[in-house]
Amino acid sequence: MNQRLVSYFEKTNSRSRMSDMDLKDLKNLVRKGEGSQLEFKLKAKHPEKIIREIVAFANTDGGTLLLGVGDDKSIPGLKFADDEEFILVQAIEKFCDPPINFQLERMAITNERDILIFTIPQSNEKPHFVKLSANEPPKAYVRVQDRSVQASKEVKQILRRENEEGIRFVFGEKEKVLMEYLAQHQNITLEKFAEIAKIPLWLASRTLVLLVLGHVLRVQPNELVDTYVIY
């Protein structure tokens, strides 16, 4: 584990409660495989990476993290569940901003091994960020299928304002150019919109954000470049 993170940890009592799920339910859930609302991790060995998934769930539609389950859908469980819980809970509380609500359950799969079940609801305080140190900029993540993708400036603006009422925009020449382009193409990027509308990037960015908030367009976050499609 990253030694920089270890220094933050102070042992606390377990926060988990026994799950109502039985082994059959667990196997059925795992059989579905990872997706937009389900993630598997074998251990909390690298909590700074796992909390990206936690943040992404909170920023998107919520989800469940199963600790003690492999990417190959194996269920070895955790031999030292208390320690694993301690490591990940402390990381969530220390490095997620604003704080994230979650439910933590434990399920015994043998006499010596447990599964930890983290349930993260969709948040009303978006966007949430991972902030590991004062020397690193905070990063927001969103869930895209079975991956957690770093949020662009536009996606962060959309998350911040998605519950805002009374969103207004003027349907002018640049919006007309945009819709004509999308009538002939599957999607568009920020840079392409700025190019075809002959406007600066900041104005293209603001326009796309407003059109997403107004439910005219839908953003498709991507690790390389976001795309926009007609809603």
Side-chain angles (χ1 to χ4, degrees):
M1 186 196 314
N2 189 321
Q3 293 301 313
R4 180 162 56 87
L5 297 178
V6 175
S7 63
Y8 284 92
F9 298 149
E10 296 178 0
K11 189 73 173 176
T12 56
N13 293 329
S14 173
R15 289 181 44 173
S16 59
R17 67 175 183 85
M18 295 308 297
S19 175
D20 294 330
M21 186 183 301
D22 60 25
L23 187 55
K24 180 180 179 181
D25 294 333
L26 176 66
K27 289 180 177 179
N28 287 337
L29 180 60
V30 171
R31 194 174 293 118
K32 295 179 181 179
E34 293 180 314
S36 62
Q37 293 183 282
L38 186 61
E39 177 75 19
F40 305 152
K41 295 294 180 184
L42 271 177
K43 293 183 178 181
K45 185 177 181 180
H46 297 288
E48 71 276 17
K49 295 181 180 180
I50 298 177
I51 56 176
R52 297 176 188 174
E53 323 293 349
I54 304 290
V55 163
F57 283 145
N59 280 337
T60 314
D61 298 319
T64 300
L65 170 70
L66 299 179
L67 195 61
V69 176
D71 290 340
D72 60 357
K73 302 181 185 179
S74 61
I75 311 177
L78 304 165
K79 187 173 182 179
F80 303 106
D82 285 345
D83 294 339
E84 301 285 347
E85 174 187 330
F86 157 67
I87 290 170
L88 190 49
V89 167
Q90 290 295 300
I92 294 170
E93 293 178 347
K94 291 289 184 180
F95 305 120
C96 296
D97 183 43
I100 289 177
N101 293 321
F102 62 92
Q103 177 180 301
L104 176 55
E105 298 174 299
R106 180 182 302 220
M107 178 186 166
I109 58 171
T110 71
N111 290 335
E112 296 183 348
R113 291 185 175 269
D114 297 333
I115 297 292
L116 292 176
I117 305 166
F118 289 80
T119 303
I120 302 93
Q122 180 178 177
S123 176
N124 293 320
E125 299 182 75
K126 305 175 186 178
H128 292 269
F129 295 84
V130 175
K131 186 171 179 60
L132 296 179
S133 75
N135 299 323
E136 298 180 30
K139 298 177 181 179
Y141 295 86
V142 291
R143 193 74 174 174
V144 179
Q145 297 178 354
D146 61 349
R147 296 178 296 113
S148 294
V149 175
Q150 188 173 337
S152 65
K153 179 181 71 174
E154 288 73 32
V155 170
K156 286 184 284 189
Q157 282 292 325
I158 292 164
L159 291 173
R160 187 174 287 114
R161 300 180 61 187
E162 66 181 5
N163 293 321
E164 188 176 317
E165 296 182 0
I167 299 293
R168 294 184 178 183
F169 60 88
V170 176
F171 198 91
E173 185 60 32
K174 63 183 182 300
E175 288 81 9
K176 180 181 177 182
V177 170
L178 172 64
M179 299 310 290
E180 288 176 348
Y181 181 91
L182 286 173
Q184 300 179 36
H185 300 83
Q186 187 175 7
N187 56 51
I188 194 169
T189 65
L190 167 64
E191 289 76 11
K192 188 65 178 180
F193 175 41
E195 176 191 333
I196 64 172
K198 297 181 175 58
I199 57 176
L201 280 174
W202 69 264
L203 182 55
S205 172
R206 187 176 72 177
T207 302
L208 290 173
V209 168
L210 287 175
L211 290 173
V212 171
L213 293 171
H215 302 293
V216 176
L217 299 181
R218 181 164 51 88
V219 62
Q220 298 177 318
N222 188 279
E223 292 176 344
L224 299 177
V225 59
D226 297 339
T227 56
Y228 298 81
V229 298
I230 295 177
Y231 194 84

